[in-house]
Amino acid sequence: MPQIIALAGRIASGKSKAAELLRDEYGMEHIEYSFFLYHAMDCFDIPHTRQNIDTWSTFLRHTYTQDILSRAVQKRLRETDKEWVVLSTIRRHSDLDGIRERYPVHLWYVEADQQLRYERHVTSKRKAGDAEMSFAEFQEIEKNEVQSSIPLLKSHAELVLQNNGDFESFLGEVRRNAEKMIQQK
């Protein structure tokens, strides 16, 4: 049964960078909740914009159950042979429903200032339309139903990582905490 590091945080806080480091340097399997949304959207040729991803997520949760993405992740967890798994893009408590009952979960919350996250977001160009987004549009996105639920996870986190400096300092902090956690197991 794998140990799980679940990463939560606002848009462009550094969750993906932390997950990539844990995957690449510690051999953890990386499961991104958004992967299941991207896959479904690809079937219908829906562009991967922030708005479309959040709309699709809300649609699935309201049409089926709040834990619909958690169930998809649980299926992947049953198939892994890895000792450690990093789950990224946790957006709600329901993303961990069912998982906490079966697996040891360590929730890490990644935090960064809004202006810095905006700058990272528009330069990353990870999703369609990111580069053209204004700061006002970024602020509006963070008010939607999906994005506004993310900060509620912070008070439940085992660890809060600050990412307001350079990425090397942040990744060093991720490494220190990962090593400490792996040694404690």
Side-chain angles (χ1 to χ4, degrees):
M1 171 185 332
Q3 295 265 339
I4 297 170
I5 296 175
L7 298 172
R10 304 298 298 254
I11 300 168
S13 60
K15 300 175 302 294
S16 294
K17 294 290 185 197
E20 289 167 11
L21 179 140
L22 294 170
R23 179 195 66 215
D24 296 345
E25 293 187 21
Y26 297 94
M28 295 184 188
E29 179 166 348
H30 178 203
I31 301 172
E32 184 176 354
Y33 275 77
S34 298
F35 166 81
F36 302 101
L37 297 171
Y38 298 151
H39 182 69
M41 292 167 66
D42 288 345
C43 291
F44 299 100
D45 202 25
I46 298 171
H48 295 188
T49 65
R50 175 69 53 195
Q51 182 178 356
N52 287 344
I53 292 164
D54 289 349
T55 299
W56 197 246
S57 173
T58 300
F59 167 77
L60 288 173
R61 291 169 199 272
H62 289 321
T63 304
Y64 298 102
T65 60
Q66 287 296 311
D67 71 342
I68 190 77
L69 293 176
S70 172
R71 293 188 328 210
V73 168
Q74 288 178 64
K75 182 175 185 225
R76 283 278 301 274
L77 288 171
R78 287 190 298 272
E79 298 167 353
T80 189
D81 62 351
K82 297 284 187 171
E83 188 174 351
W84 284 89
V85 173
V86 58
L87 299 179
S88 62
T89 61
I90 307 296
R91 292 183 173 95
R92 298 179 174 88
H93 288 285
S94 61
D95 287 346
L96 297 174
D97 285 352
I99 295 172
R100 285 187 186 265
E101 296 165 13
R102 294 174 181 88
Y103 303 94
V105 175
H106 308 277
L107 179 60
W108 292 9
Y109 190 88
V110 183
E111 191 166 61
D113 293 331
Q114 188 179 46
Q115 181 66 41
L116 181 58
R117 290 185 298 102
Y118 165 72
E119 292 166 9
R120 290 174 180 164
H121 183 70
V122 297
T123 57
S124 74
K125 302 175 188 172
R126 288 188 70 205
K127 294 174 182 61
D130 284 354
E132 297 82 26
M133 185 180 294
S134 70
F135 185 59
E137 290 169 320
F138 183 80
Q139 289 174 309
E140 280 304 306
I141 285 172
E142 291 202 321
K143 293 177 186 175
N144 77 28
E145 183 263 337
V146 173
Q147 298 301 321
S148 65
S149 64
I150 295 169
L152 302 174
L153 294 163
K154 182 180 176 183
S155 64
H156 299 276
E158 186 175 314
L159 176 66
V160 176
L161 296 164
Q162 295 296 323
N163 187 13
N164 289 314
D166 62 277
F167 269 127
E168 278 313 307
S169 297
F170 170 65
L171 296 177
E173 189 67 18
V174 172
R175 282 184 192 95
R176 281 188 291 284
N177 284 286
E179 289 167 10
K180 184 168 45 171
M181 189 165 287
I182 290 168
Q183 288 174 357
Q184 288 176 353
K185 182 188 178 259

